Amino acid sequence: MSWDYSIFWNEAIKQLQDEVSEQEFNMWFNGMEYAESTDSAVVVRVPSSFYRDQVKQRYYNRIRDKLYELSGMQLALEFRVERPASPTSAESGNPHPHGQAVGAHRGANGTSRHGFGVASVEYADDEPAPSPQPRRPAPHPNLRGEYTFDNFVVGNNNSFAANAAVAIAKNPGTGYNPCLIYGGVGLGKTHLIQAIGNSVHREFSNLKIVYVTMESFTNDFIQSIREKKMQSFKNKYRYADVLLIDDIHFLQKKPETQEELFHTFNALYDANKQMVFTCDRPVSEIRDLTDRLRSRFERGLNVDLQPPSYETRFAILRKKTERALINIPEEVIELICNNVTTNVRDLEAALTKLVAYAELVNKKISLEIAQQQLKDMFQSPQQYNITVDVIQRTVADYFSLSTHDLKGKKRTKVIAFPRQLAMYICRELTELSTTEVGLEFGGRDHTTVMYACQRIENRMRTDPTLEPTIQSLIRSIKEHGNKQ
Ligand code: ADP
Ligand code: MG
């Protein structure tokens, strides 16, 4: 006897689509596909074991309950990890894999292994890659070869962004479109966006990938106007299958570039082409961005990168030293990880400096050498020279305001919020009383300062983007304070 519960499965998924967010649905439900039924279970196909574990953990009970509600039977849910079939010749003739379910299309060779390495999420399929060995395309001219998923260490600080990036690379244009990765300096935005590019380039060699910084997009645009070559500019961007634009905060106060990007965006979006952007802040905080472009960026998936924890910092350095065959005692790695906490770029810089020194003087890296050589890079809180002035300047800069605005009388929303934020940060980072802080902000009363702190704390509870923003401001305040 054969069973077919597909009707219950389809209805369950349909109903769940209304119950979970679109983002969640695209991320986790699109990749599941009904396979078959047994007497007491529905079997679904999933593209990888990572995917299976995530779905099981997140939705198993919910789907099972739904199936029970619909069928009146206690049906179990079974997963089958199945590498989707290699494309048929008809399929491989199709240059655009868009509009297909997650996992429905693979690279021309049908292989795809993305291991994240040390302390990382294993995003690998169950079966070994089939032979023959894939033929690797030439490196992409605008992407750095070492910015791969394999070289990206995943921790709690970045796992959502990293998983989204992997999912996008596997199925460009289908799920999270556009995707915006935001976070402070040196936290891996460029690495991740380029890793998407590198992976797509390897797996879907027929797709056209365009990677640019927002700055070079802008320069390109200006030049094409000057040289009357708008058409070739348009061709370059609008025929991309995957458009990757790094550092879109550069768009601030550039209305014409915004306009052009808006049209590029629409053209690609309508054609189901994948777009990924990075930004040093949440989109809501880019100043002078037209509402329509803002809403486009916010339409897709927005994920953030946070500073890495001690363990992740350690894993990153370990991976770097292993890759570069650097011989370095564990205690030195611990020393660096304990002292460089701000971002990954600084972490790497400390290692590079040490390695360069050791080579130069032809000595082995020891704890003593490390302590001596890196002391300038290690910041202890006492060394910070955090003044109200530095805080005001950093916050004002971030919001494209002047410190006069923060100290002045105006109470428009554009100024009031940054002012409250600056007051809050003063209370967090300095020993000043509310009265003293008030004096620094144009002689305001201490109750105003108290109110400001209260407002910020309340807002943090409802706006998940605020805390990362504050953390990133605090980091740059400390950096500035340190340079003084
Ligand atoms: P951003 O663009 O956010 O300023 P980058 O992507 O340039 O940061 O990262 C700075 C450096 O740190 C790069 O060399 C990058 O390879 C490295 N890096 C950042 N995050 C990670 C990570 N999770 N694992 C390994 N290397 C990382
Ligand atoms: Mg960058």
Side-chain angles (χ1 to χ4, degrees):
M1 168 156 187
S2 67
W3 287 269
D4 183 358
Y5 300 133
S6 59
I7 181 173
F8 302 127
W9 167 258
N10 290 337
E11 183 58 27
I13 294 303
K14 206 167 124 210
Q15 293 190 10
L16 284 165
Q17 182 161 17
D18 296 331
E19 293 170 23
V20 302
S21 72
E22 191 183 341
Q23 199 169 309
E24 254 184 300
F25 189 84
N26 287 338
M27 180 115 162
W28 301 116
F29 288 80
N30 267 345
M32 285 188 277
E33 196 188 354
Y34 173 84
E36 61 174 331
S37 305
T38 66
D39 59 341
S40 59
V42 173
V43 186
V44 293
R45 270 190 282 270
V46 287
S48 71
S49 39
F50 166 73
Y51 200 101
R52 174 196 61 204
D53 296 343
Q54 292 289 316
V55 170
K56 250 190 184 169
Q57 196 187 336
R58 290 164 195 255
Y59 303 110
Y60 186 91
N61 291 343
R62 205 145 157 203
I63 300 176
R64 194 200 46 200
D65 293 350
K66 194 58 104 188
L67 288 171
Y68 177 68
E69 236 172 66
L70 293 164
S71 69
M73 287 180 277
Q74 295 281 8
L75 293 173
L77 195 58
E78 285 172 17
F79 295 93
R80 184 183 295 160
V81 177
E82 209 161 274
R83 177 184 296 283
S86 304
T88 60
S89 51
E91 226 184 325
S92 48
N94 168 13
H96 304 302
H98 308 298
Q100 298 179 16
V102 172
H105 193 286
R106 282 311 181 86
N109 45 48
T111 62
S112 168
R113 283 187 79 86
H114 302 286
F116 267 139
V118 191
S120 62
V121 177
E122 181 60 20
Y123 198 96
D125 296 343
D126 274 350
E127 289 151 43
S131 50
Q133 280 297 309
R135 199 169 48 81
R136 299 221 169 264
H140 190 283
N142 296 331
L143 298 171
R144 285 179 63 165
E146 73 269 25
Y147 284 168
T148 61
F149 290 129
D150 276 337
N151 291 338
F152 192 83
V153 175
V154 179
N156 287 340
N157 59 313
N158 59 20
S159 65
F160 192 30
N163 286 329
V166 170
I168 287 168
K170 290 199 158 201
N171 291 278
T174 52
Y176 323 110
N177 203 17
C179 173
L180 184 122
I181 302 170
Y182 67 91
V185 64
L187 293 181
K189 300 184 294 295
T190 299
H191 188 136
L192 261 192
I193 196 174
Q194 293 210 14
I196 296 175
N198 275 318
S199 171
V200 174
H201 182 62
R202 201 177 56 230
E203 300 294 325
F204 305 96
S205 50
N206 45 4
L207 295 190
K208 184 178 167 208
I209 299 159
V210 176
Y211 167 85
V212 276
T213 60
M214 197 66 242
E215 188 174 3
S216 51
F217 180 95
T218 307
N219 293 341
D220 223 10
F221 174 58
I222 294 170
Q223 197 176 347
S224 71
I225 296 177
R226 200 181 306 133
E227 297 175 3
K228 301 200 169 49
K229 287 186 178 154
M230 263 324 273
Q231 199 51 46
S232 76
F233 174 87
K234 286 194 163 83
N235 289 348
K236 172 172 173 191
Y237 293 101
R238 298 198 190 167
Y239 290 103
D241 294 301
V242 177
L243 177 63
L244 309 169
I245 304 188
D246 210 354
D247 295 332
I248 57 159
H249 44 271
F250 194 79
L251 275 175
Q252 289 196 114
K253 299 194 173 154
K254 303 205 174 50
E256 275 120 43
T257 312
Q258 287 187 25
E259 173 81 15
E260 185 54 34
L261 183 59
F262 175 75
H263 294 300
T264 308
F265 187 108
N266 290 343
L268 292 179
Y269 191 80
D270 290 344
N272 284 329
K273 302 302 170 72
Q274 179 70 50
M275 286 172 280
V276 185
F277 306 100
T278 72
C279 188
D280 71 352
R281 60 192 73 188
V283 177
S284 57
E285 281 164 29
I286 305 180
R287 286 264 313 216
D288 300 316
L289 185 66
T290 58
D291 284 344
R292 55 189 198 165
L293 194 50
R294 187 190 309 277
S295 76
R296 295 288 180 299
F297 288 137
E298 284 175 344
R299 182 182 284 177
L301 181 68
N302 285 218
V303 287
D304 72 327
L305 293 170
Q306 292 286 324
S309 65
Y310 176 85
E311 289 78 11
T312 310
R313 296 200 291 278
F314 193 91
I316 290 172
L317 281 191
R318 253 280 158 263
K319 194 165 180 71
K320 294 250 169 244
T321 52
E322 277 168 12
R323 271 191 68 221
L325 301 174
I326 298 167
N327 199 353
I328 184 166
E330 194 147 310
E331 53 187 7
V332 173
I333 298 193
E334 284 167 7
L335 177 81
I336 299 176
C337 292
N338 273 322
N339 287 285
V340 181
T341 55
T342 43
N343 67 54
V344 184
R345 188 171 296 154
D346 291 352
L347 209 58
E348 287 183 343
L351 181 68
T352 308
K353 182 170 178 196
L354 203 53
V355 171
Y357 176 81
E359 269 174 16
L360 206 64
V361 298
N362 202 13
K363 278 190 188 160
K364 273 203 174 134
I365 299 171
S366 68
L367 190 59
E368 203 186 344
I369 289 184
Q371 269 159 343
Q372 181 202 0
Q373 284 305 309
L374 298 178
K375 61 176 182 293
D376 294 347
M377 294 180 112
F378 294 167
Q379 314 162 339
S380 67
Q382 303 85 292
Q383 282 175 314
Y384 293 142
N385 183 14
I386 294 173
T387 59
V388 174
D389 187 47
V390 172
I391 296 173
Q392 288 174 334
R393 266 190 286 134
T394 311
V395 175
D397 270 0
Y398 185 83
F399 289 97
S400 301
L401 299 171
S402 72
T403 50
H404 284 295
D405 293 328
L406 296 185
K407 294 187 219 171
K409 293 268 169 280
K410 270 201 208 138
R411 296 213 305 233
T412 53
K413 215 168 125 196
V414 183
I415 299 178
F417 172 62
R419 184 185 291 138
Q420 289 173 343
L421 200 56
M423 288 178 176
Y424 172 85
I425 295 178
C426 284
R427 290 285 290 152
E428 289 287 300
L429 295 187
T430 71
E431 300 292 316
L432 300 179
S433 67
T434 47
T435 309
E436 287 164 322
V437 173
L439 284 175
E440 300 278 357
F441 283 81
R444 287 182 156 78
D445 192 69
H446 79 282
T447 52
T448 309
V449 180
M450 280 161 61
Y451 174 74
C453 295
Q454 195 59 53
R455 282 291 299 265
I456 297 295
E457 274 162 22
N458 290 345
R459 192 162 156 177
M460 258 195 281
R461 266 179 236 124
T462 53
D463 176 359
T465 67
L466 186 54
E467 199 179 335
T469 304
I470 294 179
Q471 290 312 327
S472 136
L473 280 168
I474 289 180
R475 275 201 305 281
S476 35
I477 289 165
K478 286 181 176 171
E479 269 162 32
H480 284 136
N482 227 32
K483 279 187 205 123
Q484 292 201 332

